[in-house]
Amino acid sequence: MSEKNQWLSVFINPLRKQAWFETFRQAFWSNPDRLMAAKATFAIVLLAVPFVVAGKSVIGITLALGALAGALSETDDHPRGRIKSLALKVVSFGFSSFAVALLNPYPIILGFGLAISTIGFILIGGLSERYRGVTFGAILVGIYTMQGIDNSPGWYLQPILLSAGALFYGLLSLVLLFYHPWRLLEEQLARGYLALATYLEEKAKLFPSDKTRQGQLRNQLALQNVQLVAALDRCKDVLNSYGDAVKDEEPLKPYMRYFMLLQSLHERAASSHERYDLLSDDPENKELLEGIGQTLLQLSLAIKQFANSLLAGTPYRHPVSLAWMVNALKDQFEKAENKATHPLAPLINNLNRSHQSLVNLNEDQQRSLTPRLAKDERTIGERLKAQLNWNHPRLRYAIRLSLCFLVGFAISEGFQIARGEWIILTSLFVCQPSYSETRRRLLQRVLGTLTGVIAGVLIVQLFPTSAGQLVLMLASAFTFLFWLRRNYSISVIFITIFVLSAFSLITDEGVAIMVPRLVDTVIGSVLAIISVRLLWPDWQYKRLPGLIKEALSKNTAYFQAIINEYEHESTDDDFDYRVARRQAHRADNALVLAWQGMQMEPKNRQHFRKQAFTLTYLNHALLSYLSALGAHRQQQQLTTIELLSIAKDVLAALQEVTNSMQVQNGVRDKHIDNLMHEIKEHLNNTEQGEALQQFNLLFNIADVTAHILKRANVLAIHQK
C-alpha cells in the first residue's frame, strides 16, 4: 500500500508544512462526521458550481444528487473493498435510474417494478454491510430519477449524471483513503472508545447511589451498552475487512491490540461486584465510593483522549490526573479495615488494571499474536435462504416497504399529486423494521420537515440571487451530513432547505413546492406507520419470552466459558470465550431494545411492560456479575475446590432456569434456594480475601437467577 501512495506523498508532504493544512487536520480529520460532510460538500462544489454558473443548473444539481446518494450509501471497507463497492454502486445506480427512466411512460409497470425491485434490493442488502449500503443507494437514486424526470432534457441524462456524481464522490473518497489506508479502522476504534467513555460517565453515577435510583441507572447503563456493543461489532467488521484484504498482518497488529483492549476495558466497565446501593448506606464507604466515581470520570476522560489521538494521528499521552486519582484511591483504600475482605477491593483492582492498560498501551508485549475474530462463514446462498423465511424480519420489512411504495405511487398517480414522488421518498426514510422505530422516525421526519419549510422560506428571502441560493444549498448539504448520525431531526431540517434551494436553482419554484413537500411528507409518513401497524406487526410483548430465553441461554454459555477459563490456563487467543461474551451482550441488548421499543407502542399493546422493565434490569445485572467474574480470569484462579464445585452448581441452576423457560412450566426451582443457602454458609465460614469475593459473586449470580426465574414464570403463567 505504501508504494501505491508514493505519488500522493509528492503532493501531500509539502502541504503538511502549511499552517492552514494543520488547521484542516484538527478541524476535520479529527472529527469523522465533519470530515464526511466536508468530503461530500467538496464533491458537490466541484460538480455543481461550474454548471450552475454556466446556466446548466439541471446538470449541476443532478450530479450533486448523485454525489449525495454516493455519500449516504458509503460503506466502511478496506480500500480494495471500497473499489469493489464503488463498482457495484455505479452499476446498480445506473440500472435503477435507467429502469425508472425507461418505464416512466408506463406508470402501471413502473409502480409494480418499483415494488418488486425494492423487495430484491432489501434482501440483497441483508447479505452484508457492503451490499446494504449499495442497495439502499440504488433505491434512493431510483426515486431521485422519478423526481427529476420532468426537468431532464433527455430520458438518458439522469441515469448518466446520477451515476457519474456517485462515481466522482467515490473516487474523491478513495483518494483520501489511499492517502491514509488505516483511517477507517482508526475511526471505528475511536467511536468504540468514545462509546465506552460515555458508558463510564453514566456508571460513575452509581458511586454513591441509593436504592430508589438503582433501577433507573441500571437501565440507562443497559441502553448505553447497546450503543457500545454496536460500536464493538462495527470495529470487528472493519477489522475483518482489513484482515481479508491485507497479506502482511504486521501493520494490522496495533489496531487488533487496540480492539482487544477495548473489549477488555468494556468487560471491566460492565462488571458489577456488589449491590452498590447497599454499600452506599454505610457511612464508612462514602469516601471510597465517591473516589471510585471520580476515578471512573477520570478514566472516561483518558479514554476520550486516546480516541482523539487515534483520530488526529497524534501520540497518546496518559493524563497525570488519572494516575493521581488512582493512587489517591489506593491510599484511601489502605486505610480501610479488613482490606482483604473489603467488598470494594475487586472494583478498585479493576480500576487500577484499566489504568495500567492505558499506561502500557503501546507496549508490544501486551499481545504477541494476532487473535482470531468471529466471522459469518455462511455462503451468499445460505444467507439469502435464511432471509427467505416468512418469520424473518427482513423479508417482512421488504414486503411492507414495497407495498408502501406501491400505494404511495398509486396515490400520486391517481390524484395527480404534484411532486408525489416525495411520498415514496418519505416512506423510504420513515418505514423501519419495527413499529417503535417507525413511529420515532415519523415524528422526527414530520417535525424536521415542518421546521425546515418554515426556516427555509424565511432564509431564502435573504438569498434571492442564484449565487446566494447556491451557497445556501452547499451550506445545508454540509450541515445535513454533519448531523445525520448525531440527530436525525436536525438533519431533516437541513435536507429540506437543501431541496428548497436546489429547486429554486432549477425551476425558480423552491418556495412554491414547500407546501406540497410538507403534504407529501405527511402522506408518506402516515403510509409508513399504517403499514407497520397493520401488516404483520411484531409487538414486543410477543417477542419477550423468546428474548428472555435467548438471553438466559447466552448467559449460560458465557458462564460456562468463564469456568473453562478458570479451569484451564488462559491462552493468547481466547476465541471461544470472546464469542460467548459477545453473544451474551447481543442477547442482553435485544432484550433492552425490546423494552425500549415497547414504550413507543400503542397502550393496548404494552402488555407486561413492568415485567419487561424488571427483566431487563435483572438480566443486565446478571451479565454484570458474570462480567466481574470473567474480568479477573487471567489474574486469579478459583481458589478452592469448593468454589469450583459451587460455580458449576450455579451454572447448572442457570441451565435449569433456561430449560424451564423453554417449556414455560411456571415452577419455582427450589434447587436455587438450597444452593444460595449453601453459598451463604461458605460466606460465613470463609476468611480468605479472594475466595470470599468469589463466593460473594457466585451468590449474587444465583440470587439474580432466582429473581429472573420468578419474574419469567409469572410472565409464562400470564401467557397461558
Side-chain angles (χ1 to χ4, degrees):
M1 188 65 68
S2 58
E3 293 180 3
K4 294 180 181 180
N5 294 334
Q6 286 179 356
W7 66 276
L8 280 173
S9 300
V10 173
F11 297 97
I12 297 296
N13 288 335
L15 292 177
R16 288 175 175 166
K17 300 177 182 178
Q18 304 296 321
W20 66 266
F21 185 76
E22 185 58 32
T23 302
F24 166 80
R25 288 184 76 255
Q26 292 298 324
F28 293 97
W29 196 255
S30 59
N31 189 312
D33 294 331
R34 199 177 291 162
L35 178 63
M36 185 264 195
K39 278 191 306 182
T41 306
F42 184 61
I44 292 173
V45 167
L46 295 179
L47 291 169
V49 171
F51 288 100
V52 172
V53 171
K56 304 288 185 181
S57 295
V58 172
I59 295 176
I61 299 302
T62 306
L63 285 168
L65 287 173
L68 187 64
L72 292 175
S73 58
E74 192 169 45
T75 56
D76 293 325
D77 267 327
H78 181 272
R80 293 177 187 172
R82 273 280 182 90
I83 294 173
K84 296 177 183 178
S85 176
L86 181 58
L88 285 171
K89 187 182 299 183
V90 172
V91 171
S92 62
F93 281 19
F95 171 80
S96 178
S97 188
F98 267 114
V100 170
L102 287 170
L103 295 176
N104 186 63
Y106 315 100
I108 295 177
I109 300 176
L110 177 59
F112 281 103
L114 178 66
I116 294 170
S117 63
T118 297
I119 296 175
F121 278 134
I122 294 295
L123 293 179
I124 293 172
L127 300 178
S128 73
E129 191 64 34
R130 179 183 299 168
Y131 292 132
R132 185 174 295 118
V134 171
T135 53
F136 170 80
I139 297 172
L140 185 61
V141 161
I143 300 172
Y144 281 167
T145 305
M146 295 170 66
Q147 289 179 319
I149 203 157
D150 291 336
N151 299 315
S152 181
W155 69 269
Y156 56 85
L157 194 59
Q158 275 199 110
I160 295 173
L161 294 177
L162 288 168
S163 300
L167 176 62
F168 184 83
Y169 170 79
L171 292 174
L172 177 64
S173 187
L174 271 173
V175 168
L176 285 175
L177 196 55
F178 275 107
Y179 158 61
H180 193 85
W182 304 99
R183 168 67 188 183
L184 292 175
L185 267 180
E186 292 164 355
E187 185 176 309
Q188 290 303 331
L189 285 167
R191 290 186 187 276
Y193 277 98
L194 289 172
L196 174 62
T198 305
Y199 184 90
L200 289 171
E201 283 182 9
E202 190 67 32
K203 186 156 190 177
K205 297 176 184 177
L206 285 172
F207 304 96
S209 65
D210 55 61
K211 189 174 182 180
T212 58
R213 298 180 60 216
Q214 192 78 190
Q216 181 182 359
L217 288 173
R218 289 288 186 185
N219 276 82
Q220 287 301 315
L221 280 171
L223 289 172
Q224 185 56 46
N225 192 56
V226 172
Q227 306 298 322
L228 179 49
V229 172
L232 281 165
D233 283 340
R234 286 193 295 270
C235 288
K236 178 182 68 67
D237 291 340
V238 178
L239 278 166
N240 279 330
S241 171
Y242 275 71
D244 292 338
V246 299
K247 295 179 180 178
D248 183 12
E249 290 187 347
E250 197 61 34
L252 191 63
K253 285 185 178 180
Y255 300 102
M256 186 66 77
R257 286 198 297 272
Y258 296 154
F259 177 66
M260 300 304 293
L261 174 61
L262 178 58
Q263 286 189 305
S264 178
L265 290 172
H266 174 224
E267 184 169 51
R268 294 174 204 157
S271 64
S272 291
H273 300 80
E274 288 285 349
R275 287 279 304 277
Y276 300 125
D277 55 325
L278 297 180
L279 293 176
S280 298
D281 292 337
D282 188 346
E284 294 183 2
N285 294 326
K286 184 177 180 181
E287 288 189 14
L288 271 178
L289 288 167
E290 289 182 349
I292 289 170
Q294 291 301 312
T295 305
L296 283 168
L297 290 176
Q298 290 297 323
L299 184 60
S300 171
L301 291 173
I303 289 171
K304 284 183 181 178
Q305 190 169 319
F306 174 60
N308 291 331
S309 73
L310 276 174
L311 291 172
T314 55
Y316 168 70
R317 294 179 181 174
H318 193 66
V320 176
S321 56
L322 176 58
W324 184 90
M325 196 70 222
V326 169
N327 289 331
L329 183 63
K330 289 194 290 186
D331 290 342
Q332 183 66 32
F333 181 67
E334 289 295 322
K335 300 175 185 178
E337 297 181 2
N338 303 318
K339 290 181 295 183
T341 59
H342 198 288
L344 290 173
L347 177 56
I348 293 172
N349 182 34
N350 253 1
L351 290 172
N352 182 53
R353 289 173 63 203
S354 296
H355 158 64
Q356 291 299 327
S357 295
L358 290 172
V359 170
N360 303 318
L361 189 65
N362 295 315
E363 290 187 7
D364 291 340
Q365 292 86 349
Q366 280 187 346
R367 190 171 289 271
S368 58
L369 300 176
T370 303
R372 292 177 293 159
L373 292 177
K375 295 181 181 180
D376 189 346
E377 302 292 348
R378 296 177 300 169
T379 65
I380 294 293
E382 289 172 338
R383 296 179 201 179
L384 182 59
K385 185 179 178 181
Q387 292 183 102
L388 297 176
N389 181 334
W390 185 246
N391 293 322
H392 198 285
R394 194 161 190 86
L395 178 61
R396 291 186 174 189
Y397 167 62
I399 296 174
R400 195 183 293 136
L401 182 62
S402 69
L403 289 175
C404 261
F405 284 0
L406 190 60
V407 174
F409 185 79
I411 291 173
S412 174
E413 291 293 317
F415 292 93
Q416 294 296 302
I417 297 177
R419 306 294 177 185
E421 299 83 8
W422 276 326
I423 297 174
I424 302 171
L425 184 65
T426 300
S427 295
L428 173 64
F429 286 106
V430 173
C431 188
Q432 300 295 311
S434 71
Y435 177 89
S436 57
E437 292 175 272
T438 303
R439 182 179 168 185
R440 192 176 295 112
R441 274 295 179 95
L442 182 150
L443 296 172
Q444 293 171 334
R445 189 79 186 183
V446 172
L447 290 176
T449 302
L450 178 61
T451 306
V453 167
I454 296 171
V457 170
L458 294 175
I459 294 172
V460 80
Q461 308 303 321
L462 304 175
F463 301 94
T465 64
S466 295
Q469 301 208 3
L470 181 60
V471 171
L472 179 61
M473 185 188 80
L474 296 173
S476 57
F478 175 85
T479 316
F480 159 67
L481 291 164
F482 175 75
W483 283 104
L484 186 59
R485 292 186 180 182
R486 294 167 174 248
N487 189 310
Y488 184 73
S489 296
I490 295 177
S491 71
V492 172
I493 296 172
F494 288 100
I495 195 59
T496 303
I497 298 173
F498 174 89
V499 169
L500 185 152
S501 52
F503 271 91
S504 292
L505 287 169
I506 295 175
T507 64
D508 201 25
E509 296 178 353
V511 174
I513 65 170
M514 283 297 99
V515 173
R517 176 174 172 81
L518 182 58
V519 172
D520 293 344
T521 297
V522 172
I523 295 173
S525 298
V526 169
L527 280 177
I529 199 69
I530 288 176
S531 68
V532 78
R533 177 71 173 81
L534 300 180
L535 302 177
W536 321 290
D538 200 3
W539 304 120
Q540 300 301 335
Y541 79 90
K542 294 181 179 179
R543 301 177 62 230
L544 198 58
L547 291 173
I548 296 167
K549 288 185 287 185
E550 181 71 6
L552 287 173
S553 175
K554 297 306 181 185
N555 279 335
T556 302
Y558 181 30
F559 196 5
Q560 179 66 70
I562 292 170
I563 292 176
N564 292 343
E565 287 284 305
Y566 274 108
E567 277 192 295
H568 310 291
E569 185 176 348
S570 297
T571 61
D572 285 325
D573 188 6
D574 49 355
F575 178 75
D576 293 336
Y577 173 84
R578 288 184 285 111
V579 169
R581 176 181 172 273
R582 184 180 299 112
Q583 289 178 346
H585 275 279
R586 283 176 178 168
D588 179 66
N589 285 358
L591 188 57
V592 172
L593 290 173
W595 166 74
Q596 187 184 36
M598 184 180 290
Q599 298 173 81
M600 297 289 290
E601 293 178 346
K603 294 293 183 182
N604 62 346
R605 300 294 179 178
Q606 294 185 14
H607 306 310
F608 316 118
R609 180 175 175 177
K610 186 178 292 185
Q611 289 92 332
F613 176 87
T614 304
L615 284 166
T616 300
Y617 165 71
L618 289 172
N619 187 74
H620 194 70
L622 174 60
L623 184 56
S624 297
Y625 290 133
L626 291 173
S627 296
L629 195 63
H632 298 284
R633 70 191 188 283
Q634 294 176 332
Q635 194 180 30
Q636 60 190 34
Q637 298 296 313
L638 291 173
T639 49
T640 67
I641 296 176
E642 289 84 358
L643 261 168
L644 183 60
S645 175
I646 290 291
K648 290 183 177 180
D649 286 342
V650 175
L651 173 64
L654 186 57
Q655 182 65 60
E656 288 178 11
V657 171
T658 306
N659 293 337
S660 71
M661 278 299 300
Q662 289 171 354
V663 297
Q664 293 189 347
N665 58 14
V667 178
R668 178 70 188 271
D669 194 343
K670 298 295 184 183
H671 175 60
I672 298 180
D673 293 334
N674 296 333
L675 186 57
M676 289 171 62
H677 180 72
E678 183 181 352
I679 298 174
K680 277 185 178 179
E681 290 183 353
H682 282 288
L683 283 170
N684 294 331
N685 298 325
T686 302
E687 296 182 358
Q688 187 178 354
E690 289 183 5
L692 185 65
Q693 293 160 6
Q694 290 168 349
F695 270 126
N696 199 47
L697 270 177
L698 292 175
F699 177 82
N700 288 335
I701 292 169
D703 184 39
V704 173
T705 300
H707 280 87
I708 290 176
L709 178 62
K710 180 180 178 180
R711 294 287 181 174
N713 279 333
V714 170
L715 182 64
I717 292 170
H718 276 292
Q719 284 204 318
K720 287 186 176 181

